[in-house]
């Protein structure tokens, strides 16, 4: 049994999967994407149609999409923590995982990637909409998150793995602010979680890569 994991420490979706790998102490070989090891990029592109990461190769079988990788780990490499509970709680976890990926991280990426487009090919309309939709996502979360400590209550799940990097980065782009105290304290609790803190720390040296400039906090 060998697990090869392709990702980058500053990538939100990489962090989303590193959290369960580390928390369950699942052994894996970390294949970092970057100029220091061009073989890793080449291999990633062979298996991932869009060259996107994270990617997991389990005994030669490629799995991509962060949520599917976490489901795969739970089925094939179960550990102390069950990331997706059974029954109705599992439905809620999958729903919140989609919410954080699509409406928090998705809008964050849309707005952030605009800065990286070639001159004259920006999308100001799409960028403004993404920023507005991010605030709508914050408002929905403020109104619909429970009292915690985690996304579905007492159990730390895949929904929190998705929430941690997405709220971490989204708040750099559009601050959650004091008008959303429940969401702001959930983000603070996530960042104080030792495994999440490890993911944030390993990404720290790459903060100059943040397209809009990383704030001097967190
Ligand atoms: N839906 C994908 C999103 C993955 C994604 O957006 N990955 C980014 C890094 S955080 C990426 O590969 N960016 C490089 C690129 O787009 O070429 C997942 O959940 O794994």
């Amino acid at each position: 049994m060998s697990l090869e994991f392709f990702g980058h420490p500053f990538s939100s979706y990489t962090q989303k999967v590193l959290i369960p790998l580390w928390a369950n102490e699942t052994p894996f070989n970390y294949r970092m994407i970057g100029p220091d090891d061009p073989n890793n990029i080449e291999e990633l592109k062979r298996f991932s149609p869009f060259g996107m990461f994270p990617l997991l190769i389990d005994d030669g079988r490629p799995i991509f999409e962060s949520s599917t990788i976490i489901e795969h780990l739970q089925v094939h490499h179960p550990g102390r923590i069950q990331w997706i509970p059974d029954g109705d709680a599992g439905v809620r976890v999958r729903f919140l995982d989609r919410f954080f990926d699509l409406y928090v991280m998705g809008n964050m990426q849309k707005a952030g990637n605009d800065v990286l487009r070639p001159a004259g090919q920006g999308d100001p309309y799409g960028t403004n909409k993404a920023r507005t939709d991010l605030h709508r996502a914050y408002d929905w979360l403020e109104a619909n998150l429970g009292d915690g400590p985690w996304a579905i209550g007492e159990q730390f799940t895949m929904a929190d793995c998705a929430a941690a990097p997405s709220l971490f980065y989204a708040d750099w782009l559009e601050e959650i602010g004091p008008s959303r105290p429940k969401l702001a304290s959930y983000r603070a609790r996530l960042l104080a979680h030792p495994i999440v803190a490890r993911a944030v720390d390993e990404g720290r040296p790459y903060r100059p890569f943040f397209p809009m400039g990383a704030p001097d906090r967190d």
Side-chain angles (χ1 to χ4, degrees):
M1 186 275 293
S2 80
L3 285 181
E4 301 283 311
F5 179 71
F6 295 73
H8 187 278
F10 199 55
S11 135
S12 53
Y13 290 102
T14 299
Q15 293 182 2
K16 177 179 158 185
V17 177
L18 282 172
I19 294 165
L21 281 167
W22 287 336
N24 269 348
E25 297 179 25
T26 309
F28 68 98
N29 184 26
Y30 195 166
R31 307 275 299 272
M32 207 174 298
I33 301 300
D36 292 346
D37 204 336
N39 287 340
N40 290 349
I41 301 171
E42 285 315 306
E43 197 166 342
L44 171 81
K45 285 184 182 162
R46 267 208 301 284
F47 292 105
S48 166
F50 307 105
M52 293 177 96
F53 40 92
L55 165 76
L56 184 78
I57 302 186
D58 186 350
D59 255 338
R61 176 179 168 197
I63 298 109
F64 52 93
E65 283 300 316
S66 52
S67 307
T68 310
I69 297 174
I70 295 173
E71 295 233 20
H72 178 92
L73 290 170
Q74 176 156 309
V75 171
H76 296 279
H77 305 272
R80 187 174 58 82
I81 302 168
Q82 187 186 359
W83 302 104
I84 304 140
D86 301 328
D88 201 37
V91 176
R92 178 83 178 156
V93 164
R94 287 187 176 89
F95 163 64
L96 288 172
D97 170 74
R98 292 300 74 227
F99 192 93
F100 284 113
D101 275 14
L102 297 173
Y103 306 117
V104 180
M105 200 58 215
N107 283 315
M108 151 75 209
Q109 276 184 324
K110 253 183 242 163
N113 288 347
D114 197 60
V115 183
L116 305 173
R117 287 182 172 211
Q121 294 186 49
D123 174 15
Y125 174 82
T127 303
N128 282 339
K129 181 172 183 327
R131 284 180 181 264
T132 304
D133 285 350
L134 194 47
H135 283 280
R136 291 168 71 188
Y138 290 163
D139 287 340
W140 187 90
L141 287 163
E142 182 67 20
N144 288 282
L145 277 180
D147 291 324
W150 308 119
I152 64 154
E154 293 298 322
Q155 190 180 347
F156 193 97
T157 67
M158 177 171 73
D160 303 292
C161 299
S166 60
L167 291 175
F168 173 67
Y169 286 118
D171 185 64
W172 282 5
L173 182 76
E174 291 290 328
E175 279 193 44
I176 292 167
S179 65
R180 300 171 183 116
K182 194 184 267 190
L183 186 59
S185 51
Y186 174 49
R187 180 181 183 273
R189 262 193 314 280
L190 284 165
L191 297 192
H193 185 292
I195 301 282
V196 176
R198 178 179 169 188
V200 169
D201 275 344
E202 295 208 358
R204 203 172 288 278
Y206 305 95
R207 288 186 179 198
F209 292 166
F210 192 68
M212 286 70 61
D216 192 15
R217 60 180 167 89
D218 297 322

